[in-house]
Amino acid sequence: MDIIVTTPKGATGEAAREGLEARKRGGYYFRWIGKHLPKNFGPGDRIWYTEGGLVRGFGICQDLIHSNGELCSATGKTFGAGWFAWIDVQTWKWVKPFAYRGFQGFMYCDFGVPEIVGDWLSPMPEVAS
């Protein structure tokens, strides 16, 4: 069961820094942290991201654990307790952006077969104005 989450407006710079760090390291594990475990969600499912009112891409959940907290090695930010879905950056796919309003938490989704326009080594696709 795929889920979609929002990159908060205030965290877009942080997400970009993590992407740069992933390329420098030649790999990286992103994480999505939620207070509640999505039903029927686990390794092999996609986590879609919406940012700035557009779905931008997805990664594949590699592992799902409950933790009392984690330190991000790329940003130095400490995350509190919750469910951590680990996403290998090498599974990241950019899609042709499409409209999807942001929200808090997660939602279940089924976007079918997306139009992939890049991978983790590609820059975020530009949006035509």
Side-chain angles (χ1 to χ4, degrees), residues 25-77:
R25 294 180 184 188
Y28 187 75
Y29 281 86
F30 290 108
R31 69 182 69 71
W32 169 76
I33 303 106
K35 291 182 182 184
H36 305 286
L37 176 65
K39 261 187 182 176
N40 302 318
F41 173 80
D45 292 329
R46 293 183 284 194
I47 302 177
W48 292 81
Y49 281 82
T50 181
E51 179 180 302
L54 298 166
V55 172
R56 302 292 190 152
F58 67 89
I60 307 296
C61 176
Q62 302 295 302
D63 198 9
L64 189 60
I65 62 165
H66 189 272
S67 174
N68 289 326
E70 299 280 337
L71 174 67
C72 177
S73 63
T75 64
K77 183 177 179 179

Side-chain angles (χ1 to χ4, degrees), residues 8-123:
K9 212 178 262 189
T12 57
E14 188 176 292
R17 282 192 303 280
E18 282 187 292
L20 290 173
E21 187 65 26
R23 287 191 281 288
K24 273 194 226 171
R25 294 180 184 188
Y28 187 75
Y29 281 86
F30 290 108
R31 69 182 69 71
W32 169 76
I33 303 106
K35 291 182 182 184
H36 305 286
L37 176 65
K39 261 187 182 176
N40 302 318
F41 173 80
D45 292 329
R46 293 183 284 194
I47 302 177
W48 292 81
Y49 281 82
T50 181
E51 179 180 302
L54 298 166
V55 172
R56 302 292 190 152
F58 67 89
I60 307 296
C61 176
Q62 302 295 302
D63 198 9
L64 189 60
I65 62 165
H66 189 272
S67 174
N68 289 326
E70 299 280 337
L71 174 67
C72 177
S73 63
T75 64
K77 183 177 179 179
T78 301
F79 294 95
W83 285 97
F84 286 67
W86 293 93
I87 305 158
D88 184 342
V89 71
Q90 294 182 22
T91 69
W92 181 260
K93 302 293 183 216
W94 293 109
V95 299
K96 181 177 180 183
F98 58 94
Y100 200 94
R101 189 176 182 156
F103 57 92
Q104 292 184 349
F106 70 89
M107 292 177 34
Y108 298 102
C109 64
D110 181 3
F111 295 127
V113 181
E115 183 179 342
I116 295 172
V117 295
D119 63 16
W120 73 287
L121 295 171
S122 308

